[in-house]
Amino acid sequence: MLYQKGNMFSKACEYGIKSMIYIQSNHDDSRKICLNEIAEAINSPMAFTAKILQQLKRSGLLVSTIGAKGGFQIKNNKPITIKEIVLAIDGDGFFSKCVLGLKVCSSANPCPAHEAYKLIKENMIKDLLDLELDEFTKNIKNKTIALK
Amino acid sequence: MLYQKGNMFSKACEYGIKSMIYIQSNHDDSRKICLNEIAEAINSPMAFTAKILQQLKRSGLLVSTIGAKGGFQIKNNKPITIKEIVLAIDGDGFFSKCVLGLKVCSSANPCPAHEAYKLIKENMIKDLLDLELDEFTKNIKNKTIALK
DNA sequence: TATAATTCGGACATTTTTATCCTAATTAAT
DNA sequence: ATTAATTAGGATAAAAATGTCCGAATTATA
Ligand code: SF4
Ligand code: SF4
């Protein structure tokens, strides 16, 4: 093995996803959720996580309040999908690029993987990326998944 | 967008896949296929491609002969799958890691994506990664896909 | 035998991604 | 008013991935 890759999403994106799941899971109108708590909860480097939260803010998924007792909240408490987070952090490469890095393929001139891969991608989006954060919340509460 | 990611496989791996497709497509018992030709054909940096070919050799997918008229060939002319190339270059992260970077999931304690993702992954492997190189050869010959 | 074509590997350089540090601004609470 | 908790963002550092350079070894062929 030459390098250790094979991650569909960047580390930044994973932290983003986990942060959002954490924030959603711990939503409480009476308080904001602060960076420190988030980074601790998902076991991520704090300053790096800060950048990611800023990006999620810029993308309109989060809002924040500054100062003591400040922190982050999901904007308007709106349902958010994994896909929105991926787009905010990694951009649309995942959705637009050829997995194999090939060129000049289309439905008219398909590569052998074309039809199969199109379906795989559609399913991946439907069954994984279109999932909303709150679908993960109960699993966090059950402890059937963990963020760190 | 924070970074430009969203590649399932590393660049090295893409070059590896394309190199292998090229070598397979241009197989001819009377000659070897040299680095220069490969890098040109797939539009990849030559010295970098050299490293990748060495790795594919070490993994037992290629053989090479040194010196003038030397070059690379697929070991024993054996059919090779995309998966074998991915494993040789990127290791098994793609097959073993959680897409979302979560922990503690299992069939008994599944995350909301568990069943769906398991299926997606199985299909991805079956329909994309288990494809053999020679399935791509005809598409190269038809020019329905291109390596650069 | 000399030359050109080629693989092989080490060292180095660049770019991208990940991570840390530090200072300023803001706000709640004392 | 002061202090502590907090976001915000710039600068920098470290690590990983990608890419380049070079010299040594090997082999076909002129
Ligand atoms: S169909 Fe084939 S060539 Fe086209 S994007 Fe998918 S893997 Fe790449
Ligand atoms: S089932 Fe969920 S937690 Fe488990 S590997 Fe898949 S995405 Fe990750």
Side-chain angles (χ1 to χ4, degrees):
Chain A
M1 174 180 30
L2 219 43
Y3 301 117
Q4 172 43 47
K5 270 264 216 140
N7 299 58
M8 294 207 205
F9 310 121
S10 70
K11 215 104 214 298
C13 192
E14 284 184 14
Y15 293 151
I17 292 168
K18 289 182 182 183
S19 293
M20 292 297 282
I21 293 177
Y22 182 80
I23 294 169
Q24 220 279 348
S25 300
N26 290 80
H27 169 73
D28 178 343
D29 277 324
S30 71
R31 69 178 192 114
K32 320 282 163 48
I33 301 182
C34 77
L35 172 60
N36 191 286
E37 183 183 342
I38 296 168
E40 162 109 348
I42 72 174
N43 196 34
S44 66
M46 198 165 95
F48 189 42
T49 307
K51 312 284 183 198
I52 295 162
L53 295 175
Q54 289 309 309
Q55 176 60 26
L56 292 169
K57 250 189 79 172
R58 271 179 251 128
S59 304
L61 303 185
L62 287 178
V63 291
S64 64
T65 48
I66 218 172
K69 301 273 166 189
F72 297 85
Q73 285 172 308
I74 288 172
K75 189 170 183 179
N76 302 328
N77 260 313
K78 233 189 49 193
I80 308 253
T81 63
I82 301 293
K83 184 180 180 179
E84 292 175 86
I85 304 168
V86 172
L87 284 171
I89 309 288
D90 281 351
D92 78 342
F94 181 84
F95 304 92
S96 63
K97 289 203 216 146
C98 165
V99 242
L100 305 182
L102 303 175
K103 295 283 150 57
V104 193
C105 96
S106 71
S107 291
N109 278 339
C111 108
H114 193 85
E115 279 313 308
Y117 186 59
K118 219 177 101 194
L119 232 94
I120 287 165
K121 214 147 141 185
E122 281 164 12
N123 284 336
M124 179 114 77
I125 291 170
K126 178 163 68 62
D127 295 335
L128 181 62
L129 294 166
D130 282 348
L131 287 181
E132 289 176 0
L133 288 178
D134 70 327
E135 307 218 44
F136 291 86
T137 300
K138 54 178 174 300
N139 298 76
I140 295 291
K141 292 194 171 143
N142 296 350
K143 299 193 199 297
T144 59
I145 57 171
L147 297 173
K148 68 174 166 190
Chain B
M1 173 178 34
L2 220 44
Y3 300 116
Q4 174 42 50
K5 270 267 216 135
N7 299 58
M8 293 208 206
F9 309 122
S10 70
K11 216 101 212 303
C13 191
E14 284 186 14
Y15 294 150
I17 292 169
K18 289 183 183 185
S19 292
M20 291 298 280
I21 293 177
Y22 182 80
I23 293 169
Q24 218 280 348
S25 300
N26 290 81
H27 170 73
D28 178 344
D29 277 323
S30 71
R31 71 178 191 111
K32 319 282 162 50
I33 302 184
C34 78
L35 171 60
N36 191 285
E37 182 183 342
I38 295 169
E40 161 110 349
I42 71 175
N43 195 33
S44 66
M46 198 164 96
F48 189 41
T49 307
K51 313 283 184 199
I52 297 161
L53 295 176
Q54 289 309 311
Q55 176 58 28
L56 292 169
K57 249 189 78 172
R58 270 179 252 127
S59 303
L61 304 185
L62 288 177
V63 290
S64 65
T65 48
I66 220 174
K69 301 275 165 183
F72 297 85
Q73 285 172 309
I74 289 172
K75 189 169 182 180
N76 303 329
N77 258 314
K78 232 189 48 191
I80 309 254
T81 64
I82 301 294
K83 185 180 180 180
E84 291 175 86
I85 303 167
V86 171
L87 283 171
I89 310 287
D90 282 350
D92 78 341
F94 182 84
F95 304 92
S96 63
K97 289 204 216 145
C98 165
V99 241
L100 306 181
L102 304 174
K103 297 281 151 59
V104 193
C105 97
S106 70
S107 291
N109 278 340
C111 109
H114 193 84
E115 279 312 309
Y117 186 59
K118 218 177 101 195
L119 233 93
I120 287 165
K121 213 147 141 187
E122 281 166 11
N123 284 334
M124 179 113 77
I125 291 169
K126 178 164 66 66
D127 295 336
L128 180 63
L129 293 166
D130 281 350
L131 287 181
E132 287 176 1
L133 288 177
D134 70 328
E135 308 217 44
F136 290 86
T137 300
K138 54 177 172 300
N139 298 75
I140 294 290
K141 293 196 168 142
N142 297 349
K143 297 193 201 298
T144 60
I145 57 171
L147 297 174
K148 68 172 169 193

